Amino acid sequence: MDRSKVLQSTAGIILSFADSPCFCHPSRILHDELVKTAKSIASPGRGILAIDESNATCGKRLASIGLDNTEPNRQAYRQLLLTTPGLGEYISGAILFEETLYQSTTDGKKFVDCLRDENIVPGIKVDKGLVPLPGSNNESWCQGLDGLASRSTEYYKQGARFAKWRTVVSIPCGPSALAVKEAAWGLARYAAISQDNGLVPIVEPEILLDGDHPIERTLEVAEQVWAEVFYYLAENNVTFEGILLKPSMVTPGAEHKEKASPDTIAKYTLTMLQRRVPPAVPGIMFLSGGQSEVEATLNLNAMNQTPNPWHVSFSYARALQNSVLKAWQGLPENVEAAQKALLVRAKANSLAQLGRYSAEGENEEAKKGMFVKGYTY
């Protein structure tokens, strides 16, 4: 497609052209379902619980409390999370790993049914992980497009209604034009395939925290990446009303000498979003990316002090689970305490989505950073 045929919106992003003779949306029924699902997830005071870690990464979580990486242990941990009473008050969607999507509780109840009972939409991680990108500056690309359509059909049958695909961009490695284009194109193809199979795609080009760069450099790269992402989303005829975004917050590199305040992070992040994201997108569900539990919540709260054209919320993994693991310690008698810890963090981020959070009374453990250089999922 000739780039001259693509219209620039006032926000500086690219809109699709509905009058093109070859342009087509999903069927009206499917379109309406996608929009309804996206709006349900992007509902006031709620966000996403991300528990889609691969078995290997889940094993690292379990190892931190002295448990072996076995399916029964993974099931026990995920059962703890997904059967927390009242979780649906603060959580609207849960991203699952494929193993979890097909698992049940020890009493035989499907995890997807546990979620539905709490009015939580089940989601599924569909990418196949990162591999080296040949011809780049030691960068990565995300694999998983092969067979995605047939897998998505099966995930939908199992109860999933949204999908997640994570790719990454590294500032210390450039990023190269090749890596940015590959990330954007892969996300767009995944998004189109997901929508065609009834799944709302979460679009996630994570700009890694690694590096000692200032916040201005992060903003520059974020604008570059999201411009490319929306160009290819439009070129692939993706319905913007039926997607969700999972961006990184615009922060300095983790090794930068100066730490940014929540107000500064909110200012730079919202500037990026206003310049790149059309208001047709229902929800912005931020990743925590190694921030401490309290940092991630404070930054989200700062972004919700003024009205936004999109639902600005969270899709946190470590920033919701860290306290839970430490409370549980793998002991059955600690399940209730661990579930209470999950509700504490979920409620804090619910309040932050509404712009009403205060860090008063937070414990020191929740303030500890979780950044790991070169972290892999």
Side-chain angles (χ1 to χ4, degrees):
M1 177 175 59
D2 184 349
R3 288 184 184 240
S4 66
K5 294 181 181 177
V6 179
L7 304 177
Q8 294 282 348
S9 77
T10 54
I13 55 82
I14 298 169
L15 296 174
S16 58
F17 45 98
D19 57 342
S20 169
C22 63
F23 182 83
C24 58
H25 281 296
S27 70
R28 175 50 56 186
I29 294 175
L30 186 54
H31 172 276
D32 291 348
E33 182 184 343
L34 291 168
V35 172
K36 182 180 178 181
T37 298
K39 286 183 177 179
S40 173
I41 296 171
S43 54
R46 300 206 297 166
I48 294 174
L49 170 63
I51 56 168
D52 58 315
E53 301 92 347
S54 66
N55 287 346
T57 302
C58 188
K60 295 177 184 177
R61 302 266 199 275
L62 297 175
S64 72
I65 56 171
L67 291 184
D68 292 333
N69 185 15
T70 64
E71 183 175 354
N73 283 341
R74 294 193 298 270
Q75 179 194 30
Y77 178 53
R78 286 157 174 166
Q79 178 171 321
L80 180 162
L81 297 169
L82 298 178
T83 61
T84 298
L87 187 62
E89 184 176 350
Y90 313 117
I91 299 296
S92 55
I95 312 172
L96 310 177
F97 189 60
E98 186 175 68
E99 177 183 76
T100 317
L101 182 68
Y102 291 92
Q103 281 179 327
S104 301
T105 67
T106 50
D107 293 332
K109 186 174 182 178
K110 293 179 180 178
F111 281 154
V112 291
D113 291 335
C114 296
L115 291 171
R116 286 177 179 143
D117 288 349
E118 284 283 346
N119 193 29
I120 298 172
V121 181
I124 178 70
K125 168 187 165 73
V126 299
D127 70 77
K128 293 296 184 180
L130 300 168
V131 292
L133 176 62
S136 71
N137 186 25
N138 198 29
E139 294 162 291
S140 301
W141 69 285
C142 189
Q143 56 188 347
L145 290 177
D146 288 350
L148 179 58
S150 58
R151 286 189 286 120
S152 297
T153 298
E154 294 304 313
Y155 297 150
Y156 185 94
K157 289 178 183 176
Q158 184 63 16
R161 289 297 178 268
F162 72 100
K164 175 205 157 179
W165 175 286
R166 172 186 177 263
T167 192
V168 302
V169 172
S170 169
I171 293 179
C173 290
S176 67
L178 174 64
V180 172
K181 182 175 181 178
E182 175 60 44
W185 177 256
L187 284 165
R189 288 306 304 140
Y190 137 78
I193 293 168
S194 295
Q195 287 190 339
D196 197 46
N197 288 280
L199 302 178
V200 169
I202 290 183
V203 178
E204 181 185 358
E206 179 177 355
I207 297 169
L208 298 171
L209 280 175
D210 302 63
D212 59 1
H213 49 276
I215 195 169
E216 291 82 4
R217 175 60 179 154
T218 308
L219 175 63
E220 179 184 10
V221 171
E223 290 182 350
Q224 175 191 1
V225 170
W226 281 106
E228 198 90 350
V229 167
F230 273 102
Y231 172 76
Y232 287 115
L233 287 173
E235 193 170 55
N236 281 273
N237 298 327
V238 171
T239 301
F240 290 175
E241 293 86 351
I243 67 174
L244 297 167
L245 306 187
K246 186 170 178 175
S248 313
M249 297 179 190
V250 178
T251 68
E255 297 160 281
H256 187 62
K257 57 188 176 184
E258 294 181 14
K259 198 174 180 73
S261 68
D263 287 343
T264 299
I265 290 170
K267 175 186 173 183
Y268 276 84
T269 304
L270 291 175
T271 294
M272 182 274 291
L273 295 176
Q274 289 158 1
R275 289 173 176 173
R276 290 293 180 266
V277 181
V281 174
I284 313 290
M285 321 299 285
F286 281 102
L287 59 90
S288 54
Q291 300 176 70
S292 75
E293 291 177 327
V294 170
E295 277 179 325
T297 309
L298 282 170
N299 293 337
L300 178 62
N301 186 70
M303 281 183 264
N304 281 299
Q305 295 307 301
T306 55
N308 294 302
W310 338 264
H311 174 80
V312 175
S313 192
F314 59 92
S315 177
Y316 292 164
R318 285 175 284 173
L320 283 172
Q321 295 182 50
N322 195 48
S323 294
V324 179
L325 276 166
K326 291 183 177 176
W328 180 42
Q329 293 296 315
L331 301 174
E333 60 266 31
N334 290 345
V335 166
E336 186 176 347
Q339 290 179 329
K340 287 181 179 178
L342 176 58
L343 289 176
V344 166
R345 294 270 32 104
K347 182 179 180 179
N349 286 292
S350 169
L351 290 170
Q353 197 289 309
L354 299 169
R356 302 174 191 163
Y357 169 73
S358 167
E360 185 177 347
E362 290 278 19
N363 62 48
E364 290 304 310
E365 189 64 40
K367 297 176 183 178
K368 291 182 180 178
M370 291 178 280
F371 169 74
V372 177
K373 189 172 183 178
Y375 181 78
T376 58
Y377 285 76

